Each structure stands twice: as C-alpha cells, then as structure tokens.
Amino acid sequence: MQNKSIEKLNRKAMLRKAVVILSVILLVVSAALIAIKFAPTDGKGEKEESVQTVDLDEQPKDNSSGNGVSQSGSGFPLSFPSGNIVDIEAVDSSVFVLTNEMLFCINSSGKLKFSEVLNYSEPVMKTSGKYGIVFDRMSGKYLVVSKSRIIYSGKSIDSAQIITAQIAGDGSYAIASRSGEAACVLTYYDKKGTEKFRWACMKDHIVTIAISSNRRNLACAALSASDGEIETKVYLLDIYSDKTEWEHTVKGSAAVDISFISFGRLGLLCNNANLILDPGNGEPVVMSDKYSSTLLDSYTDESGYRVTLTAKFGSFSDYELKCFSPGGSLEYVYETQSRAYDIFCSGKRAYILTDSQIICINSFGKESKRIDLSAAGLGMTVASGRIYYYSLNTLYRD
C-alpha cells in the first residue's frame, strides 16, 4: 500500500515536471513566433515579413468580401466603396489605391494582393520604384510598403504632424515633422526603420526632401520669408557627420520639388522657375529657367526625368509640357489646348490626363496616341507599361 502511494506520488511529480517542460516549450515557441513576426527586415527581395498584412491564401477568390472591392468579369474597372480615391501610385508592378479609410494593393490583373485599414485624415503616398511610404499629415502615422506587403509601420517623433516625407530606392526614408523645439525636424531612417540621422530646422518649414543614391546625403528645401518676400532655403546635409554641408537661398520663389541629379548637383523646381544648383561651385546656380506662365503640375520619375506642366498667363486653353533629363537639360516641349488634370513620365515618355483622354507622348516629344477614357479621369499612374487612372471611387486600366 505504501509502495503504491509512493508510485502515485512519483507519477504526479513526473506529470507536473512534464507539464512544466511542455509549458516552457510552448512559451519559447510563442516567443520565437512573435519575434519573427515583428522583427525588423532587411528588405532583400520579396522575402521580408510584413506587419499587419493579409495572408494571400486567405483572400476571398472574388476579392469582394471583407474589403468590399468589387470588379467586373475582366478584372477592371474596380470599385472601392470606402470613400473616394485620394491617389493611385505604382510600386514596381503593383498599383496602390489610397483612400482616407483604406490602402489597397492591386496586381495587373485586378486581383487584390492585400488591403489595410488606415483611417487617415490627410493621407499622402510617395514612391521610389520598389518601395512606397504612406503617411498621414495629421496623426504622424505611416507605413512603408513593397509591391506585395507592408514592411514597416511607425509614427513620427512624438506623433507630430508630418509635413512631407520621401523614400529611397533601397527602402530607407526621411520624414519632416513639426516640432516644439524647432520649426520642423528632419529624420532619416534606414530600411529597417532604425533612426540614423536627425536635424532640426529652426526657423524654416521643409516642404520637399531628396535622398542621395549613395545614402550619404539629404537635401531639403524649406520655405521662409524675408522683408515680406517669400524665399526658398536649400540645405545639403551629411548623414554620417551630422552637419550642414551647404545652404543656399533663392529669393522670390517657393520650392515645389528637389532632387539629386548628375555630378553632385541638385534639381530645384519652384513655382516660377526650374533651377540646377551646384553646391561645389562658387556660382551655384547653373541653370535658371524662369517661367513666363503658371506652373500647374510636375512629376519626377525614379530615374530623374522630370516633366512640368504650365498654363500661359490669362489662358485656360493653352498648356505647355516640358521634359527635362536627369542632368537638367531640356529634352522637348509639347503644347496642347486640352485641359490637363494630371501628368506622368517614364523616362522621356510622358502622359497627359485630360477630362476625356490620355495623351501619350513619345521620347521625341511627339504625340503617339490618344486613349479615350471610360469616365472623367482625376489622376493616373503607369506600372509595367500599363496605364491606370481613377475617377471618384473607380480604378480603370487602359
């Protein structure tokens, strides 16, 4: 009897030990899974794990339940019920559709890759070939995305309002946000979301940012005022030495876009001029193309080609599109009387979206074809040679 009691106690002790060991194993496995899910990624290829993405195998076959996207039998057009479309942008071969409430990632066949709830007040998206950054100006929230998933999610410093942001070809990115210690703060992060550089712009408000191809320098343009006149201040920053390498003031102009171009020069687009600046030159303004018309829109592609659209003063029917090379030289000028709502370029090829057509311009500056629209277009993008445009809450493909 005593032996049986001892055996029973031994069995209970062994059982308790087994339970403890099993519990430890489960904790270790759970911790490992959590670490894998939320660990920063190196952004190589398309193997990075994502934050809050939808498993592609769990997507509904008709892409119509859960996310509410409805499509025709051929895939396009696609209708988005979660408010009107704010913007569409291409990331590699995918098209991202942005509304205030949601972000949708669509492939070339119209199939939904994933969707994400945003609930942003003022959503903006910037892209650079294989990566994009989506941010909310008001809340400071943002997402970094690739062509098939969300790579990283975060907030600006102190969740401050984001003025602007930019992302580089390797997935690193920079954010200019409001700050109590200065007019705004510029912060640069590597592709894993690790802060690498922070710079306070004490009195000026940064409106556009550029990241150099070697990831060593940042350039930014900020708006200021002197003696009642608006001016743009350009800053060239060294990420590794944490210092301002160069600065320049352009009086009477408001910056629209800045970019790194060849030979260490900067391309600065303003409301009334297109300039090339050379930080290493005693006379830094290499080119200044003053407009005799009103700047309406501009677009710079990932290779550095830029198109600008202007309207002649006092005219609502004469428009001029200029294409500039990455070095800043004028490639061609195209004139039209069609009212333009959006422009796009891919290398020397340009596209003009009107209320009823898309005008395609070849690399010689000549009109190659016109595409009739199914509905009045509000914005467009090009991904893998296919043209996409949207109208209110519907996405179309040519």
Side-chain angles (χ1 to χ4, degrees):
M1 187 74 177
Q2 185 178 2
N3 291 335
K4 287 184 179 181
S5 298
I6 293 173
E7 289 176 4
K8 190 174 181 180
L9 290 173
N10 288 337
R11 283 197 300 270
K12 285 185 176 181
M14 291 176 65
L15 181 60
R16 283 196 298 270
K17 184 181 294 185
V19 170
V20 170
I21 293 172
L22 182 59
S23 300
V24 170
I25 292 173
L26 288 174
L27 285 173
V28 171
V29 172
S30 299
L33 290 174
I34 291 172
I36 291 172
K37 181 176 180 181
F38 293 102
T41 59
D42 60 3
K44 294 180 181 178
E46 287 300 326
K47 295 182 180 181
E48 67 268 59
E49 291 296 328
S50 57
V51 179
Q52 297 180 343
T53 58
V54 178
D55 190 330
L56 301 182
D57 294 332
E58 295 179 359
Q59 289 290 335
K61 298 302 181 182
D62 61 357
N63 292 333
S64 61
S65 63
N67 51 68
V69 181
S70 59
Q71 62 186 139
S72 65
S74 60
F76 288 92
L78 292 173
S79 296
F80 299 85
S82 60
N84 292 338
I85 296 173
V86 174
D87 192 14
I88 58 173
E89 295 288 347
V91 175
D92 206 344
S93 58
S94 298
V95 174
F96 280 81
V97 179
L98 181 64
T99 72
N100 285 330
E101 294 84 9
M102 297 285 294
L103 177 68
F104 302 91
C105 180
I106 309 295
N107 70 10
S108 59
S109 301
K111 297 292 181 66
L112 179 69
K113 289 186 172 183
F114 71 88
S115 62
E116 178 76 3
V117 177
L118 297 179
N119 291 324
Y120 285 1
S121 299
E122 294 185 34
V124 180
M125 185 169 188
K126 299 288 185 73
T127 63
S128 63
K130 293 186 177 182
Y131 297 93
I133 182 169
V134 185
F135 61 92
D136 183 15
R137 292 189 189 277
M138 299 304 294
S139 68
K141 296 178 182 178
Y142 65 88
L143 302 173
V144 175
V145 301
S146 70
K147 69 176 183 179
S148 60
R149 63 195 70 198
I150 296 170
I151 299 172
Y152 184 81
S153 62
K155 284 187 176 183
S156 61
I157 298 172
D158 297 328
S159 300
Q161 294 178 346
I162 296 176
I163 304 172
T164 189
Q166 190 56 266
I167 191 163
D170 70 338
S172 61
Y173 57 97
I175 293 176
S177 58
R178 300 193 184 279
S179 171
E181 64 187 56
C184 64
V185 173
L186 177 61
T187 312
Y188 173 73
Y189 303 85
D190 66 15
K191 58 189 176 183
K192 297 180 180 181
T194 304
E195 181 182 318
K196 292 295 183 179
F197 174 83
R198 186 186 299 187
W199 178 74
C201 191
M202 300 307 296
K203 297 181 180 179
D204 310 317
H205 297 274
I206 296 171
V207 294
T208 177
I209 308 167
I211 304 171
S212 65
S213 58
N214 62 6
R215 319 298 179 239
R216 182 176 182 85
N217 296 104
L218 296 177
C220 63
L223 296 185
S224 184
S226 178
D227 299 325
E229 182 184 31
I230 193 168
E231 60 185 26
T232 290
K233 290 188 176 180
V234 179
Y235 299 93
L236 181 63
L237 310 169
D238 189 308
I239 293 172
Y240 294 101
S241 65
D242 194 21
K243 68 177 183 178
T244 303
E245 285 195 347
W246 180 79
E247 61 181 271
H248 178 70
T249 301
V250 181
K251 294 186 177 295
S253 296
V256 175
D257 182 63
I258 193 169
S259 59
F260 283 93
I261 57 178
S262 57
F263 307 111
R265 294 173 174 174
L266 297 172
L268 178 67
L269 180 65
C270 296
N271 65 319
N272 57 6
N274 190 19
L275 299 89
I276 296 178
L277 305 177
D278 189 350
N281 196 330
E283 295 294 331
V285 181
V286 177
M287 184 199 79
S288 179
D289 179 22
K290 292 285 186 179
Y291 300 137
S292 58
S293 51
T294 304
L295 178 67
L296 299 177
D297 199 1
S298 70
Y299 183 86
T300 304
D301 78 351
E302 60 182 294
S303 65
Y305 278 92
R306 172 182 287 163
V307 288
T308 61
L309 180 71
T310 57
K312 293 182 180 179
F313 287 124
S315 175
F316 295 97
S317 60
D318 294 319
Y319 299 88
E320 189 176 70
L321 181 137
K322 290 183 177 181
C323 176
F324 297 89
S325 73
S329 60
L330 180 63
E331 294 291 332
Y332 60 78
V333 178
Y334 175 83
E335 295 182 350
T336 180
Q337 291 187 331
S338 300
R339 184 179 181 184
Y341 289 89
D342 197 11
I343 59 175
F344 187 91
C345 75
S346 179
K348 293 183 183 181
R349 298 181 181 274
Y351 306 84
I352 302 175
L353 176 69
T354 73
D355 57 351
S356 61
Q357 292 180 322
I358 294 176
I359 304 172
C360 302
I361 304 166
N362 63 25
S363 58
F364 300 101
K366 305 297 183 182
E367 182 180 316
S368 59
K369 66 177 178 178
R370 292 190 177 220
I371 301 171
D372 292 327
L373 304 183
S374 301
L378 298 176
M380 68 174 169
T381 192
V382 178
S384 299
R386 301 303 301 263
I387 302 173
Y388 301 82
Y389 65 96
Y390 69 91
S391 174
L392 294 179
N393 66 343
T394 304
L395 177 68
Y396 300 86
R397 192 189 69 184
D398 72 307

